[in-house]
Amino acid sequence: MTDTDWDERFASGEYPRAPEPSPVLRAYEPSLPDGRALDVAAGTGRNAVFLADRGREVDALDASAEGLRVVRDRAAERGIGGRIEAVRADVSTYGFPTEAYDVITMSFFHALGRFADLVEALAPGGYLFVEGHLRSADPSPSGPSDDRYRFAANKLLRAGLALSVRYYDETTAERPDDRRRATARLLARKASGGRQSYPTRPDAPDRWPGGESDATAADERDA
């Protein structure tokens, strides 16, 4: 799907204007470091607006001018416009700065080829949160139809093993209109040494909501 296609989808409202962040990110957010954050493939601001609303300075990176316009509008409506910097660029070719971010997020955008660059962009002690569609033997109508843009079992986990993994799951969530979603989610820290600090698990995973409020979204963004 081209940048123009996404501009049209964002402008038409086909993609939700205010999708919710992952319940995992929301639950662990109080344990994440303050400082600058980067939301990769920000779309309409699923993570960027959430993190800015929690007081962080955020770079929202996306190739779609229309998506970034929605991000800016949402931030302005909340009075946090000064905390979000819109960066229009192609994720596949963008030159990520080194050790620049304390938090990096990427939701439902398949770009494992840039994973090492995201790790390099983390400051020491920084956290990376990635979630994406998962290949599943059961029908999973939410997300891309092509398995190339879905994670195979444990693929995301293996990609994150250069970091200190704090949370990982592969789950299926039932959603309205039979839009079942199979998802892999990783939260990991750029840390070294045998003794590290670990966040307290906020709640049992089976008590976290499995689906976000964007039940009608066709969020099959891929690279």
Side-chain angles (χ1 to χ4, degrees):
M1 186 168 287
T2 67
D3 299 342
T4 301
D5 291 334
W6 277 106
D7 281 338
E8 292 175 355
R9 292 184 68 182
F10 291 142
S12 69
E14 180 183 348
Y15 191 91
R17 176 183 172 86
E20 291 290 330
S22 165
V24 175
L25 178 62
R26 189 161 55 245
Y28 274 100
E29 181 276 329
S31 299
L32 302 183
D34 296 327
R36 194 156 192 85
L38 170 67
D39 185 18
V40 178
T44 55
R46 180 192 303 273
N47 301 321
V49 174
F50 169 71
L51 293 171
D53 203 35
R54 297 303 190 274
R56 293 175 180 82
E57 302 293 320
V58 183
D59 288 345
L61 171 66
D62 203 283
S64 170
E66 184 63 26
L68 293 175
R69 183 192 65 77
V70 175
V71 173
R72 289 192 294 267
D73 287 349
R74 291 183 59 203
E77 290 166 3
R78 292 171 175 259
I80 55 172
R83 295 182 193 156
I84 294 184
E85 180 73 24
V87 180
R88 188 182 181 193
D90 186 337
V91 175
S92 65
T93 57
Y94 182 68
F96 293 100
T98 300
E99 297 189 352
Y101 297 103
D102 299 287
V103 179
I104 296 177
T105 62
M106 183 168 68
S107 290
F108 302 109
F109 185 84
H110 199 82
L112 274 182
R114 301 307 311 271
F115 205 94
D117 300 302
L118 296 181
V119 173
E120 285 295 316
L122 281 174
Y127 277 77
L128 174 66
F129 175 76
V130 177
E131 63 181 340
H133 297 288
L134 186 66
R135 296 176 189 174
S136 175
D138 299 319
S140 182
S142 178
S145 58
D146 192 330
D147 273 353
R148 289 182 301 166
Y149 304 121
R150 292 178 178 267
F151 293 114
N154 291 322
K155 183 73 172 181
L156 179 57
L157 176 61
R158 288 194 293 270
L161 290 181
L163 302 171
S164 178
V165 176
R166 298 300 199 247
Y167 179 90
Y168 185 76
D169 73 12
E170 295 181 354
T171 59
T172 299
E174 298 295 332
R175 308 168 75 211
D177 301 324
D178 195 32
R179 294 185 59 79
R180 188 179 303 106
R181 173 189 281 168
T183 307
R185 297 179 289 196
L186 169 76
L187 178 69
R189 184 171 184 252
K190 189 175 185 178
S192 60
R195 294 180 178 272
Q196 300 178 24
S197 60
Y198 298 92
T200 301
R201 175 174 286 183
D203 205 342
D206 60 0
R207 293 179 58 192
W208 294 343
E212 293 77 30
S213 65
D214 55 328
T216 60
D219 48 10
E220 62 273 15
R221 304 196 76 189
D222 49 59

